[in-house]
Amino acid sequence: MRDRDVVVTEILDGNLAAFERLRPTISDLTLADAQQLIVDTIERMERATCGNVATADAMLRIARGVVGPDRPISLLEVASGNGWLLQNLWERAAHHRIAIELTGSDLNIALTQSMQRRFAAQRIPASVRVLDACAMHEVTDGQYDIALMNFTLHHVPPQSVSAVLNELDRVSNGGMIVVDTSRNRFARAVVPILATLVAPRSGRRFARHDSIATILRSYTKTELGQLLTVAGIGDRYRVGGLPTWHPQRLVANAIVPNNHRAERHPPSRTRSTS
């Protein structure tokens, strides 16, 4: 596996040198402003391509395959940010009439407050917790059916990846799902173009930089398998593409439980979420 210390970091992770280099000469933009522009761009990309729907549906299929057809799914998302994925999971679960109990978490208190505001505005009955993905001491073993991390693993420092994977595995009793960007030629060619096209005008240079850095910092399928082996849980999970027909599968890898039985068919229709 490559030495990730030599790979450029993202503005989202606080790369001040890159921010200063890319900031317009006459501008009062702050680093926080640039980070928000990047976050807005990611959301625009997902909306423009319906990738949010594809990802949520794929995760629901995986979760249903793990939990079985007859009981509600208890799902914890770690590093949820402002809760946008959880909102989509709730909407798609309601669409497919899947009973689901959602909990969002983040180490950043400001982000958990943003989640709470989003859930209140959208009337989403989801819980919010402040949790450190490396050490979720407040969560008991197997408290959730599914522990999810979405497009965040490449942000985790290399020395902390094993701890994060082990914690996701522990709190879900083997129901971990990790989706992250794939480091491949297609992603490297397409993602920066899409990011530049949909970014707000003032954020295009920032979005392009971070999209390229994301691909460079992300893992290949082989490397994800190696990470699972190092973490000591390689026998319980498998690595592959995101299980969807959406083009998102070409730029994303997924770690899913070996006992996941569902494939690319519609999610099982069970009890209503309402």
Side-chain angles (χ1 to χ4, degrees):
M1 194 178 300
R2 297 178 311 157
D3 180 2
R4 289 169 58 79
D5 291 337
V6 303
V7 177
V8 64
T9 57
E10 296 175 64
I11 294 171
L12 271 181
D13 284 339
N15 188 331
L16 186 58
F19 163 69
E20 292 291 355
R21 185 177 72 252
L22 297 170
R23 184 167 61 94
T25 305
I26 304 175
S27 173
D28 57 358
L29 280 174
T30 66
L31 176 62
D33 293 332
Q35 291 172 329
Q36 187 60 55
L37 285 168
I38 293 166
V39 170
D40 291 344
T41 297
I42 294 170
E43 186 163 340
R44 287 187 181 198
M45 290 170 66
E46 293 290 327
R47 289 184 185 277
T49 64
C50 292
N52 55 326
V53 174
T55 299
D57 280 350
M59 290 177 179
L60 289 172
R61 284 195 294 272
I62 296 167
R64 177 55 70 211
V66 171
V67 175
D70 300 322
R71 65 181 180 87
I73 298 165
S74 174
L75 185 148
L76 168 71
E77 185 187 12
V78 175
S80 302
N82 64 4
W84 187 53
L85 174 62
L86 288 171
Q87 176 185 336
N88 283 290
L89 281 169
W90 175 255
E91 292 171 354
R92 298 307 294 170
H95 175 77
H96 293 296
R97 295 164 56 187
I98 295 174
I100 192 166
E101 300 165 0
L102 295 171
T103 301
S105 70
D106 206 284
L107 185 59
N108 186 313
I109 294 176
L111 288 176
T112 60
Q113 293 171 341
S114 173
M115 265 192 283
Q116 289 175 322
R117 289 193 295 270
R118 179 186 288 270
F119 296 159
Q122 299 294 330
R123 297 184 179 181
I124 299 169
S127 302
V128 177
R129 308 181 66 167
V130 177
L131 291 175
D132 181 351
C134 295
M136 294 185 279
H137 300 308
E138 306 92 330
V139 184
T140 59
D141 295 0
Q143 185 170 338
Y144 297 93
D145 297 316
I146 301 294
L148 167 67
M149 177 173 276
N150 185 53
F151 291 106
T152 304
L153 189 66
H154 66 276
H155 290 288
V156 177
Q159 65 272 20
S160 300
V161 170
S162 287
V164 168
L165 294 176
N166 275 293
E167 280 292 86
L168 292 169
D169 174 66
R170 178 186 68 80
V171 303
S172 64
N173 194 29
M176 173 178 70
I177 301 173
V178 176
V179 177
D180 203 16
T181 313
S182 176
R183 195 179 79 247
N184 61 47
R185 292 179 180 177
F186 182 82
R188 176 64 178 83
V190 172
V191 174
I193 295 174
L194 182 59
T196 304
L197 287 174
V198 304
R201 181 178 296 275
S202 59
R204 287 175 182 171
R205 298 178 72 187
F206 302 132
R208 178 174 174 79
H209 171 276
D210 263 38
S211 64
I212 294 172
T214 291
I215 305 303
L216 294 176
R217 298 178 70 200
S218 296
Y219 299 97
T220 65
K221 291 179 183 179
T222 299
E223 289 171 342
L224 287 177
Q226 293 171 349
L227 292 175
L228 289 171
T229 299
V230 170
I233 55 176
D235 59 327
R236 295 202 288 282
Y237 297 92
R238 64 180 185 268
V239 180
L242 187 67
T244 175
W245 290 111
H246 189 276
Q248 188 100 315
R249 66 191 174 88
L250 300 175
V251 299
N253 289 324
I255 298 173
V256 301
N258 278 332
N259 64 344
H260 156 50
R261 298 182 297 277
E263 296 301 334
R264 290 176 181 159
H265 51 74
S268 302
R269 292 184 180 270
T270 59
R271 287 177 288 175
S272 172
T273 53
S274 59

